[in-house]
Amino acid sequence: MRRILIVGAGQSGLQLALGLQSKGYEVTLMSNRTADEIRSGRVMSTQCMFHTALQHERDLGLNFWESQAPRIEGVGVSVAGPDASRPVDWVGRLDGFAQSVDQRVKMAGWMETFAQRGGQLVIHGAAVSDLDFFARTYDLVMVAAGKGELVSMFGRDASRSPYTEPQRALAVSYVHGLGPRPEHPDFDAVRCNLVPGVGELFVMPTLTTSGRADILFWEGIPGGPLDVFQGVTDPGEHLSLTLELMERFTPWEYARATKVELTDAGGTLAGRYAPTVRNPVGRLPGGGLVLGVADVVVANDPITGQGSNSASKCAASYLASIVERGEEAFDEEWMRGAFERYWATAGPVVKWTNAMLGAPPEHVLQLIGAASALQPVADRFANGFDDPSDFEGFFFEEEKAAAYLAEVGAPTPPLP
């Protein structure tokens, strides 16, 4: 029986551990926190998982909360005008529903399931020196802990990483008491509110430790009016700032948030990081090799909501590569091949996410505007969150955008 060590108990690490366990591998999982510590700790993310990623969980029988979590059936886009008006507002329908489960709920539950099924769970904050020892006793060591000392083993891939600095300041609040959008009260949707030159507000329903809730998530351009959360440690002050900014920039969202309260004392999060693609193979001091997983090697800005989706897809891709390897060695060539197989999925995500961080070109503004009048355009945008590779066909190049809009019957924009 092949022995595999996974360091990190997030979406990718746990999904991979449980998947390998189901295939008969001897799996050890290292986490720096217990399930109870995760469950009672601070929120970790703003996960919204779309159909393909959710199906990977279903395939492993890990969709424990599917009947409890809100069904997200659409993705809406609103664009704020200079006077806080809303000149663009539409919602695209998803072909398959999305869901968000607070990672405190999911990771704690999955970790307990792993242990109950006989997996070896080690509660220990691993250092490089630990992995140097373990690499000699396991057939494969994978690092799925996206922060801390271990990430330094994986060098930045400059050819795939256009940014060296954070492109957004991030601020998250989990709340109870948010009202519905009056124009679409019959189904749940993720709402993307674009404030040109300032940032973005995302609003999404979720399942948290206390039941149904909503996530208010500001992404602010560094140094701009939304970049005010650094150093704010009081959760109540964090929420107040969030609401003040909503009232100023997205009053239509603020109107349904006047009675919200935080879900719990750990329901806020703030930070920033530079989007980065790293070398997938880490070399230990003793010569051993480790394979980076998910956001250890491909860390996107959350502006496109792809973090947990990419983690699930990475785990599924690596699982297939490991099983197909049989009894052969997990050498460096195999590691790089396994990553490139995943990159076929991750590459389009990186391209789309990095494009969304910049000022949109005119043809993208035309696409967003056309979605207000043409439901097929809105629906295609929405389903791109599940399959970002589709953006290649109509989003990046002016000629392809024009051809697509002509295909769906959009009026030709006037000549300048």
mmCIF file of all heavy atoms in Angstrom, residues 146-196:
data_model
loop_
_atom_site.group_PDB
_atom_site.id
_atom_site.type_symbol
_atom_site.label_atom_id
_atom_site.label_comp_id
_atom_site.label_asym_id
_atom_site.label_seq_id
_atom_site.Cartn_x
_atom_site.Cartn_y
_atom_site.Cartn_z
ATOM 1 N N GLY A 146 -1.409 26.864 2.058
ATOM 2 C CA GLY A 146 -1.075 27.979 1.186
ATOM 3 C C GLY A 146 -0.413 29.170 1.853
ATOM 4 O O GLY A 146 -0.169 30.182 1.203
ATOM 5 N N LYS A 147 -0.128 29.090 3.138
ATOM 6 C CA LYS A 147 0.506 30.214 3.836
ATOM 7 C C LYS A 147 1.668 29.688 4.668
ATOM 8 O O LYS A 147 1.751 28.513 4.977
ATOM 9 C CB LYS A 147 -0.506 30.931 4.743
ATOM 10 C CG LYS A 147 -1.697 31.538 3.999
ATOM 11 C CD LYS A 147 -2.641 32.240 4.964
ATOM 12 C CE LYS A 147 -3.814 32.889 4.234
ATOM 13 N NZ LYS A 147 -4.719 31.886 3.618
ATOM 14 N N GLY A 148 2.564 30.599 5.054
ATOM 15 C CA GLY A 148 3.629 30.231 5.971
ATOM 16 C C GLY A 148 4.920 29.801 5.291
ATOM 17 O O GLY A 148 5.114 29.946 4.084
ATOM 18 N N GLU A 149 5.781 29.220 6.114
ATOM 19 C CA GLU A 149 7.147 28.892 5.707
ATOM 20 C C GLU A 149 7.197 27.930 4.520
ATOM 21 O O GLU A 149 8.051 28.055 3.636
ATOM 22 C CB GLU A 149 7.878 28.260 6.905
ATOM 23 C CG GLU A 149 9.265 27.734 6.577
ATOM 24 C CD GLU A 149 9.823 26.832 7.679
ATOM 25 O OE1 GLU A 149 9.252 26.808 8.786
ATOM 26 O OE2 GLU A 149 10.827 26.152 7.400
ATOM 27 N N LEU A 150 6.280 26.980 4.468
ATOM 28 C CA LEU A 150 6.362 25.936 3.447
ATOM 29 C C LEU A 150 6.230 26.487 2.032
ATOM 30 O O LEU A 150 6.831 25.959 1.099
ATOM 31 C CB LEU A 150 5.291 24.870 3.692
ATOM 32 C CG LEU A 150 5.376 24.115 5.020
ATOM 33 C CD1 LEU A 150 4.314 23.032 5.082
ATOM 34 C CD2 LEU A 150 6.769 23.510 5.232
ATOM 35 N N VAL A 151 5.466 27.556 1.874
ATOM 36 C CA VAL A 151 5.268 28.124 0.538
ATOM 37 C C VAL A 151 6.583 28.637 -0.037
ATOM 38 O O VAL A 151 6.771 28.653 -1.265
ATOM 39 C CB VAL A 151 4.209 29.249 0.587
ATOM 40 C CG1 VAL A 151 4.015 29.875 -0.786
ATOM 41 C CG2 VAL A 151 2.884 28.708 1.095
ATOM 42 N N SER A 152 7.518 29.014 0.830
ATOM 43 C CA SER A 152 8.798 29.563 0.345
ATOM 44 C C SER A 152 9.605 28.533 -0.433
ATOM 45 O O SER A 152 10.547 28.891 -1.152
ATOM 46 C CB SER A 152 9.621 30.092 1.529
ATOM 47 O OG SER A 152 9.982 29.025 2.397
ATOM 48 N N MET A 153 9.260 27.259 -0.312
ATOM 49 C CA MET A 153 9.974 26.228 -1.081
ATOM 50 C C MET A 153 9.638 26.270 -2.567
ATOM 51 O O MET A 153 10.349 25.688 -3.383
ATOM 52 C CB MET A 153 9.621 24.834 -0.556
ATOM 53 C CG MET A 153 10.167 24.506 0.800
ATOM 54 S SD MET A 153 9.947 22.743 1.143
ATOM 55 C CE MET A 153 8.157 22.610 1.170
ATOM 56 N N PHE A 154 8.537 26.936 -2.912
ATOM 57 C CA PHE A 154 8.048 26.925 -4.282
ATOM 58 C C PHE A 154 8.287 28.309 -4.898
ATOM 59 O O PHE A 154 7.598 29.263 -4.586
ATOM 60 C CB PHE A 154 6.561 26.560 -4.311
ATOM 61 C CG PHE A 154 6.259 25.247 -3.628
ATOM 62 C CD1 PHE A 154 5.902 25.213 -2.286
ATOM 63 C CD2 PHE A 154 6.350 24.049 -4.334
ATOM 64 C CE1 PHE A 154 5.632 24.013 -1.653
ATOM 65 C CE2 PHE A 154 6.078 22.839 -3.700
ATOM 66 C CZ PHE A 154 5.724 22.816 -2.356
ATOM 67 N N GLY A 155 9.278 28.408 -5.763
ATOM 68 C CA GLY A 155 9.659 29.699 -6.320
ATOM 69 C C GLY A 155 8.613 30.251 -7.272
ATOM 70 O O GLY A 155 7.915 29.504 -7.969
ATOM 71 N N ARG A 156 8.508 31.576 -7.328
ATOM 72 C CA ARG A 156 7.556 32.250 -8.201
ATOM 73 C C ARG A 156 7.899 32.006 -9.660
ATOM 74 O O ARG A 156 9.058 32.107 -10.064
ATOM 75 C CB ARG A 156 7.564 33.746 -7.890
ATOM 76 C CG ARG A 156 6.676 34.613 -8.776
ATOM 77 C CD ARG A 156 6.695 36.059 -8.263
ATOM 78 N NE ARG A 156 5.967 36.949 -9.168
ATOM 79 C CZ ARG A 156 6.526 37.588 -10.201
ATOM 80 N NH1 ARG A 156 7.821 37.445 -10.432
ATOM 81 N NH2 ARG A 156 5.808 38.373 -10.978
ATOM 82 N N ASP A 157 6.884 31.696 -10.471
ATOM 83 C CA ASP A 157 7.036 31.532 -11.913
ATOM 84 C C ASP A 157 6.709 32.877 -12.564
ATOM 85 O O ASP A 157 5.552 33.203 -12.797
ATOM 86 C CB ASP A 157 6.096 30.434 -12.416
ATOM 87 C CG ASP A 157 6.256 30.152 -13.906
ATOM 88 O OD1 ASP A 157 6.872 30.978 -14.607
ATOM 89 O OD2 ASP A 157 5.738 29.111 -14.375
ATOM 90 N N ALA A 158 7.758 33.642 -12.863
ATOM 91 C CA ALA A 158 7.554 34.997 -13.384
ATOM 92 C C ALA A 158 6.833 34.984 -14.732
ATOM 93 O O ALA A 158 6.092 35.921 -15.055
ATOM 94 C CB ALA A 158 8.901 35.710 -13.507
ATOM 95 N N SER A 159 7.017 33.944 -15.526
ATOM 96 C CA SER A 159 6.386 33.894 -16.849
ATOM 97 C C SER A 159 4.874 33.764 -16.751
ATOM 98 O O SER A 159 4.157 34.078 -17.707
ATOM 99 C CB SER A 159 6.954 32.724 -17.655
ATOM 100 O OG SER A 159 6.560 31.473 -17.105
ATOM 101 N N ARG A 160 4.365 33.301 -15.615
ATOM 102 C CA ARG A 160 2.933 33.113 -15.432
ATOM 103 C C ARG A 160 2.364 34.028 -14.345
ATOM 104 O O ARG A 160 1.190 33.907 -13.990
ATOM 105 C CB ARG A 160 2.638 31.649 -15.063
ATOM 106 C CG ARG A 160 2.877 30.684 -16.220
ATOM 107 C CD ARG A 160 2.793 29.222 -15.793
ATOM 108 N NE ARG A 160 2.708 28.334 -16.963
ATOM 109 C CZ ARG A 160 2.766 26.998 -16.910
ATOM 110 N NH1 ARG A 160 2.927 26.408 -15.736
ATOM 111 N NH2 ARG A 160 2.676 26.278 -18.011
ATOM 112 N N SER A 161 3.190 34.938 -13.825
ATOM 113 C CA SER A 161 2.774 35.817 -12.716
ATOM 114 C C SER A 161 3.027 37.269 -13.083
ATOM 115 O O SER A 161 4.107 37.808 -12.811
ATOM 116 C CB SER A 161 3.530 35.461 -11.431
ATOM 117 O OG SER A 161 3.386 34.101 -11.095
ATOM 118 N N PRO A 162 2.055 37.956 -13.711
ATOM 119 C CA PRO A 162 2.295 39.335 -14.149
ATOM 120 C C PRO A 162 2.356 40.344 -13.014
ATOM 121 O O PRO A 162 2.876 41.442 -13.204
ATOM 122 C CB PRO A 162 1.112 39.627 -15.067
ATOM 123 C CG PRO A 162 0.030 38.696 -14.609
ATOM 124 C CD PRO A 162 0.737 37.467 -14.144
ATOM 125 N N TYR A 163 1.819 40.000 -11.847
ATOM 126 C CA TYR A 163 1.765 40.957 -10.741
ATOM 127 C C TYR A 163 2.757 40.566 -9.646
ATOM 128 O O TYR A 163 2.921 39.388 -9.333
ATOM 129 C CB TYR A 163 0.366 41.002 -10.130
ATOM 130 C CG TYR A 163 -0.712 41.462 -11.083
ATOM 131 C CD1 TYR A 163 -1.735 40.608 -11.470
ATOM 132 C CD2 TYR A 163 -0.717 42.764 -11.589
ATOM 133 C CE1 TYR A 163 -2.739 41.027 -12.337
ATOM 134 C CE2 TYR A 163 -1.710 43.190 -12.460
ATOM 135 C CZ TYR A 163 -2.716 42.314 -12.827
ATOM 136 O OH TYR A 163 -3.701 42.732 -13.681
ATOM 137 N N THR A 164 3.392 41.575 -9.059
ATOM 138 C CA THR A 164 4.288 41.344 -7.925
ATOM 139 C C THR A 164 3.731 41.919 -6.634
ATOM 140 O O THR A 164 4.278 41.667 -5.557
ATOM 141 C CB THR A 164 5.676 41.964 -8.193
ATOM 142 O OG1 THR A 164 5.509 43.370 -8.453
ATOM 143 C CG2 THR A 164 6.349 41.301 -9.391
ATOM 144 N N GLU A 165 2.647 42.702 -6.732
ATOM 145 C CA GLU A 165 2.027 43.322 -5.563
ATOM 146 C C GLU A 165 0.541 42.956 -5.519
ATOM 147 O O GLU A 165 -0.061 42.659 -6.555
ATOM 148 C CB GLU A 165 2.163 44.853 -5.624
ATOM 149 C CG GLU A 165 3.590 45.358 -5.674
ATOM 150 C CD GLU A 165 4.356 45.085 -4.396
ATOM 151 O OE1 GLU A 165 3.704 44.982 -3.329
ATOM 152 O OE2 GLU A 165 5.600 44.970 -4.462
ATOM 153 N N PRO A 166 -0.070 43.004 -4.328
ATOM 154 C CA PRO A 166 -1.521 42.777 -4.248
ATOM 155 C C PRO A 166 -2.278 43.777 -5.109
ATOM 156 O O PRO A 166 -1.931 44.955 -5.167
ATOM 157 C CB PRO A 166 -1.826 42.979 -2.760
ATOM 158 C CG PRO A 166 -0.530 42.715 -2.056
ATOM 159 C CD PRO A 166 0.537 43.208 -2.994
ATOM 160 N N GLN A 167 -3.310 43.301 -5.775
ATOM 161 C CA GLN A 167 -4.114 44.161 -6.645
ATOM 162 C C GLN A 167 -5.426 44.585 -6.000
ATOM 163 O O GLN A 167 -6.144 45.429 -6.532
ATOM 164 C CB GLN A 167 -4.399 43.430 -7.955
ATOM 165 C CG GLN A 167 -3.151 43.084 -8.744
ATOM 166 C CD GLN A 167 -2.354 44.324 -9.110
ATOM 167 O OE1 GLN A 167 -2.840 45.194 -9.839
ATOM 168 N NE2 GLN A 167 -1.134 44.426 -8.597
ATOM 169 N N ARG A 168 -5.768 43.994 -4.866
ATOM 170 C CA ARG A 168 -6.971 44.362 -4.132
ATOM 171 C C ARG A 168 -6.729 44.210 -2.631
ATOM 172 O O ARG A 168 -5.992 43.323 -2.194
ATOM 173 C CB ARG A 168 -8.169 43.479 -4.521
ATOM 174 C CG ARG A 168 -8.687 43.648 -5.949
ATOM 175 C CD ARG A 168 -9.319 45.009 -6.168
ATOM 176 N NE ARG A 168 -9.983 45.096 -7.462
ATOM 177 C CZ ARG A 168 -9.382 45.438 -8.596
ATOM 178 N NH1 ARG A 168 -8.089 45.706 -8.613
ATOM 179 N NH2 ARG A 168 -10.084 45.510 -9.730
ATOM 180 N N ALA A 169 -7.371 45.095 -1.854
ATOM 181 C CA ALA A 169 -7.466 44.952 -0.402
ATOM 182 C C ALA A 169 -8.809 44.276 -0.114
ATOM 183 O O ALA A 169 -9.848 44.715 -0.609
ATOM 184 C CB ALA A 169 -7.388 46.312 0.273
ATOM 185 N N LEU A 170 -8.799 43.218 0.667
ATOM 186 C CA LEU A 170 -9.953 42.347 0.836
ATOM 187 C C LEU A 170 -10.579 42.506 2.216
ATOM 188 O O LEU A 170 -9.868 42.611 3.218
ATOM 189 C CB LEU A 170 -9.518 40.888 0.643
ATOM 190 C CG LEU A 170 -8.588 40.619 -0.554
ATOM 191 C CD1 LEU A 170 -8.079 39.179 -0.534
ATOM 192 C CD2 LEU A 170 -9.296 40.930 -1.861
ATOM 193 N N ALA A 171 -11.905 42.529 2.266
ATOM 194 C CA ALA A 171 -12.613 42.663 3.544
ATOM 195 C C ALA A 171 -13.920 41.881 3.481
ATOM 196 O O ALA A 171 -14.757 42.134 2.622
ATOM 197 C CB ALA A 171 -12.891 44.124 3.868
ATOM 198 N N VAL A 172 -14.090 40.950 4.401
ATOM 199 C CA VAL A 172 -15.210 40.005 4.396
ATOM 200 C C VAL A 172 -16.013 40.134 5.684
ATOM 201 O O VAL A 172 -15.437 40.245 6.773
ATOM 202 C CB VAL A 172 -14.679 38.555 4.274
ATOM 203 C CG1 VAL A 172 -15.805 37.543 4.376
ATOM 204 C CG2 VAL A 172 -13.901 38.388 2.987
ATOM 205 N N SER A 173 -17.351 40.076 5.552
ATOM 206 C CA SER A 173 -18.238 40.002 6.718
ATOM 207 C C SER A 173 -19.307 38.944 6.445
ATOM 208 O O SER A 173 -19.966 38.975 5.405
ATOM 209 C CB SER A 173 -18.932 41.343 6.984
ATOM 210 O OG SER A 173 -18.002 42.369 7.247
ATOM 211 N N TYR A 174 -19.478 38.013 7.396
ATOM 212 C CA TYR A 174 -20.581 37.054 7.352
ATOM 213 C C TYR A 174 -21.715 37.609 8.208
ATOM 214 O O TYR A 174 -21.499 37.939 9.383
ATOM 215 C CB TYR A 174 -20.147 35.706 7.931
ATOM 216 C CG TYR A 174 -19.392 34.799 6.987
ATOM 217 C CD1 TYR A 174 -18.259 35.246 6.297
ATOM 218 C CD2 TYR A 174 -19.782 33.478 6.815
ATOM 219 C CE1 TYR A 174 -17.559 34.400 5.456
ATOM 220 C CE2 TYR A 174 -19.077 32.622 5.984
ATOM 221 C CZ TYR A 174 -17.971 33.078 5.305
ATOM 222 O OH TYR A 174 -17.268 32.241 4.478
ATOM 223 N N VAL A 175 -22.931 37.714 7.617
ATOM 224 C CA VAL A 175 -24.021 38.383 8.337
ATOM 225 C C VAL A 175 -25.318 37.579 8.270
ATOM 226 O O VAL A 175 -25.560 36.808 7.337
ATOM 227 C CB VAL A 175 -24.290 39.801 7.769
ATOM 228 C CG1 VAL A 175 -23.066 40.692 7.930
ATOM 229 C CG2 VAL A 175 -24.727 39.745 6.296
ATOM 230 N N HIS A 176 -26.140 37.782 9.278
ATOM 231 C CA HIS A 176 -27.540 37.388 9.271
ATOM 232 C C HIS A 176 -28.384 38.643 9.055
ATOM 233 O O HIS A 176 -27.953 39.747 9.394
ATOM 234 C CB HIS A 176 -27.944 36.746 10.604
ATOM 235 C CG HIS A 176 -27.352 35.392 10.838
ATOM 236 N ND1 HIS A 176 -27.425 34.367 9.925
ATOM 237 C CD2 HIS A 176 -26.691 34.882 11.921
ATOM 238 C CE1 HIS A 176 -26.837 33.288 10.422
ATOM 239 N NE2 HIS A 176 -26.374 33.574 11.620
ATOM 240 N N GLY A 177 -29.584 38.471 8.490
ATOM 241 C CA GLY A 177 -30.531 39.572 8.400
ATOM 242 C C GLY A 177 -30.530 40.346 7.105
ATOM 243 O O GLY A 177 -31.195 41.385 7.014
ATOM 244 N N LEU A 178 -29.817 39.871 6.090
ATOM 245 C CA LEU A 178 -29.820 40.566 4.800
ATOM 246 C C LEU A 178 -31.128 40.268 4.076
ATOM 247 O O LEU A 178 -31.544 39.117 3.967
ATOM 248 C CB LEU A 178 -28.640 40.106 3.948
ATOM 249 C CG LEU A 178 -28.445 40.836 2.614
ATOM 250 C CD1 LEU A 178 -27.936 42.248 2.845
ATOM 251 C CD2 LEU A 178 -27.481 40.063 1.709
ATOM 252 N N GLY A 179 -31.768 41.317 3.551
ATOM 253 C CA GLY A 179 -33.006 41.139 2.807
ATOM 254 C C GLY A 179 -32.748 40.681 1.386
ATOM 255 O O GLY A 179 -31.617 40.716 0.903
ATOM 256 N N PRO A 180 -33.799 40.259 0.667
ATOM 257 C CA PRO A 180 -33.634 39.819 -0.718
ATOM 258 C C PRO A 180 -33.482 40.990 -1.669
ATOM 259 O O PRO A 180 -33.838 42.125 -1.352
ATOM 260 C CB PRO A 180 -34.936 39.055 -0.996
ATOM 261 C CG PRO A 180 -35.943 39.730 -0.108
ATOM 262 C CD PRO A 180 -35.194 40.129 1.135
ATOM 263 N N ARG A 181 -32.965 40.726 -2.848
ATOM 264 C CA ARG A 181 -32.989 41.708 -3.926
ATOM 265 C C ARG A 181 -34.435 41.776 -4.427
ATOM 266 O O ARG A 181 -34.963 40.773 -4.899
ATOM 267 C CB ARG A 181 -32.087 41.265 -5.072
ATOM 268 C CG ARG A 181 -30.627 41.661 -4.975
ATOM 269 C CD ARG A 181 -30.403 43.094 -5.433
ATOM 270 N NE ARG A 181 -28.986 43.345 -5.676
ATOM 271 C CZ ARG A 181 -28.474 43.667 -6.864
ATOM 272 N NH1 ARG A 181 -29.262 43.778 -7.916
ATOM 273 N NH2 ARG A 181 -27.187 43.874 -6.997
ATOM 274 N N PRO A 182 -35.109 42.910 -4.344
ATOM 275 C CA PRO A 182 -36.533 42.955 -4.703
ATOM 276 C C PRO A 182 -36.815 42.600 -6.153
ATOM 277 O O PRO A 182 -37.882 42.089 -6.468
ATOM 278 C CB PRO A 182 -36.936 44.403 -4.391
ATOM 279 C CG PRO A 182 -35.650 45.167 -4.346
ATOM 280 C CD PRO A 182 -34.614 44.204 -3.857
ATOM 281 N N GLU A 183 -35.834 42.841 -7.047
ATOM 282 C CA GLU A 183 -36.093 42.562 -8.460
ATOM 283 C C GLU A 183 -36.002 41.071 -8.793
ATOM 284 O O GLU A 183 -36.478 40.622 -9.832
ATOM 285 C CB GLU A 183 -35.141 43.358 -9.365
ATOM 286 C CG GLU A 183 -33.663 43.037 -9.196
ATOM 287 C CD GLU A 183 -32.968 43.869 -8.131
ATOM 288 O OE1 GLU A 183 -33.596 44.186 -7.108
ATOM 289 O OE2 GLU A 183 -31.804 44.215 -8.335
ATOM 290 N N HIS A 184 -35.363 40.268 -7.914
ATOM 291 C CA HIS A 184 -35.273 38.822 -8.143
ATOM 292 C C HIS A 184 -35.435 38.093 -6.814
ATOM 293 O O HIS A 184 -34.512 37.443 -6.326
ATOM 294 C CB HIS A 184 -33.920 38.459 -8.771
ATOM 295 C CG HIS A 184 -33.729 38.988 -10.148
ATOM 296 N ND1 HIS A 184 -34.426 38.515 -11.236
ATOM 297 C CD2 HIS A 184 -32.926 39.965 -10.623
ATOM 298 C CE1 HIS A 184 -34.057 39.167 -12.318
ATOM 299 N NE2 HIS A 184 -33.157 40.067 -11.978
ATOM 300 N N PRO A 185 -36.599 38.180 -6.184
ATOM 301 C CA PRO A 185 -36.769 37.573 -4.868
ATOM 302 C C PRO A 185 -36.983 36.065 -4.903
ATOM 303 O O PRO A 185 -36.988 35.416 -3.862
ATOM 304 C CB PRO A 185 -38.028 38.267 -4.332
ATOM 305 C CG PRO A 185 -38.822 38.574 -5.566
ATOM 306 C CD PRO A 185 -37.810 38.872 -6.642
ATOM 307 N N ASP A 186 -37.161 35.491 -6.109
ATOM 308 C CA ASP A 186 -37.565 34.089 -6.190
ATOM 309 C C ASP A 186 -36.396 33.115 -6.270
ATOM 310 O O ASP A 186 -36.595 31.905 -6.225
ATOM 311 C CB ASP A 186 -38.492 33.884 -7.402
ATOM 312 C CG ASP A 186 -37.850 34.344 -8.710
ATOM 313 O OD1 ASP A 186 -37.009 35.260 -8.661
ATOM 314 O OD2 ASP A 186 -38.182 33.770 -9.761
ATOM 315 N N PHE A 187 -35.170 33.611 -6.429
ATOM 316 C CA PHE A 187 -34.027 32.691 -6.416
ATOM 317 C C PHE A 187 -32.789 33.410 -5.902
ATOM 318 O O PHE A 187 -32.689 34.629 -5.962
ATOM 319 C CB PHE A 187 -33.771 32.093 -7.809
ATOM 320 C CG PHE A 187 -33.341 33.089 -8.852
ATOM 321 C CD1 PHE A 187 -31.999 33.360 -9.068
ATOM 322 C CD2 PHE A 187 -34.286 33.734 -9.645
ATOM 323 C CE1 PHE A 187 -31.598 34.266 -10.039
ATOM 324 C CE2 PHE A 187 -33.899 34.631 -10.623
ATOM 325 C CZ PHE A 187 -32.547 34.906 -10.818
ATOM 326 N N ASP A 188 -31.841 32.613 -5.391
ATOM 327 C CA ASP A 188 -30.593 33.159 -4.859
ATOM 328 C C ASP A 188 -29.575 33.331 -5.970
ATOM 329 O O ASP A 188 -29.474 32.497 -6.889
ATOM 330 C CB ASP A 188 -30.016 32.217 -3.797
ATOM 331 C CG ASP A 188 -30.693 32.382 -2.446
ATOM 332 O OD1 ASP A 188 -30.901 33.528 -2.024
ATOM 333 O OD2 ASP A 188 -31.008 31.354 -1.810
ATOM 334 N N ALA A 189 -28.811 34.408 -5.887
ATOM 335 C CA ALA A 189 -27.740 34.668 -6.851
ATOM 336 C C ALA A 189 -26.565 35.320 -6.137
ATOM 337 O O ALA A 189 -26.729 35.995 -5.126
ATOM 338 C CB ALA A 189 -28.239 35.575 -7.980
ATOM 339 N N VAL A 190 -25.374 35.086 -6.667
ATOM 340 C CA VAL A 190 -24.206 35.869 -6.270
ATOM 341 C C VAL A 190 -24.307 37.213 -6.978
ATOM 342 O O VAL A 190 -24.610 37.282 -8.171
ATOM 343 C CB VAL A 190 -22.903 35.169 -6.693
ATOM 344 C CG1 VAL A 190 -21.704 36.065 -6.401
ATOM 345 C CG2 VAL A 190 -22.740 33.854 -5.968
ATOM 346 N N ARG A 191 -24.083 38.291 -6.247
ATOM 347 C CA ARG A 191 -24.164 39.635 -6.827
ATOM 348 C C ARG A 191 -22.782 40.258 -6.892
ATOM 349 O O ARG A 191 -22.098 40.394 -5.877
ATOM 350 C CB ARG A 191 -25.080 40.513 -5.979
ATOM 351 C CG ARG A 191 -26.503 39.989 -5.907
ATOM 352 C CD ARG A 191 -27.190 40.083 -7.249
ATOM 353 N NE ARG A 191 -28.541 39.509 -7.212
ATOM 354 C CZ ARG A 191 -29.429 39.669 -8.180
ATOM 355 N NH1 ARG A 191 -29.126 40.356 -9.259
ATOM 356 N NH2 ARG A 191 -30.622 39.116 -8.091
ATOM 357 N N CYS A 192 -22.359 40.614 -8.113
ATOM 358 C CA CYS A 192 -21.080 41.272 -8.344
ATOM 359 C C CYS A 192 -21.364 42.738 -8.651
ATOM 360 O O CYS A 192 -21.935 43.048 -9.703
ATOM 361 C CB CYS A 192 -20.347 40.629 -9.521
ATOM 362 S SG CYS A 192 -20.249 38.830 -9.466
ATOM 363 N N ASN A 193 -21.021 43.613 -7.746
ATOM 364 C CA ASN A 193 -21.246 45.048 -7.917
ATOM 365 C C ASN A 193 -19.920 45.717 -8.251
ATOM 366 O O ASN A 193 -19.005 45.748 -7.422
ATOM 367 C CB ASN A 193 -21.828 45.649 -6.633
ATOM 368 C CG ASN A 193 -23.148 45.021 -6.253
ATOM 369 O OD1 ASN A 193 -24.196 45.397 -6.758
ATOM 370 N ND2 ASN A 193 -23.107 44.035 -5.351
ATOM 371 N N LEU A 194 -19.810 46.231 -9.479
ATOM 372 C CA LEU A 194 -18.565 46.833 -9.946
ATOM 373 C C LEU A 194 -18.625 48.340 -9.753
ATOM 374 O O LEU A 194 -19.564 48.992 -10.228
ATOM 375 C CB LEU A 194 -18.349 46.498 -11.421
ATOM 376 C CG LEU A 194 -18.531 45.017 -11.825
ATOM 377 C CD1 LEU A 194 -18.297 44.840 -13.325
ATOM 378 C CD2 LEU A 194 -17.627 44.111 -11.015
ATOM 379 N N VAL A 195 -17.635 48.884 -9.059
ATOM 380 C CA VAL A 195 -17.539 50.326 -8.839
ATOM 381 C C VAL A 195 -16.273 50.799 -9.562
ATOM 382 O O VAL A 195 -15.169 50.659 -9.030
ATOM 383 C CB VAL A 195 -17.482 50.674 -7.343
ATOM 384 C CG1 VAL A 195 -17.553 52.191 -7.148
ATOM 385 C CG2 VAL A 195 -18.593 49.981 -6.572
ATOM 386 N N PRO A 196 -16.394 51.310 -10.789
ATOM 387 C CA PRO A 196 -15.218 51.616 -11.605
ATOM 388 C C PRO A 196 -14.224 52.524 -10.893
ATOM 389 O O PRO A 196 -14.595 53.541 -10.302
ATOM 390 C CB PRO A 196 -15.822 52.304 -12.837
ATOM 391 C CG PRO A 196 -17.203 51.716 -12.949
ATOM 392 C CD PRO A 196 -17.660 51.557 -11.529
#
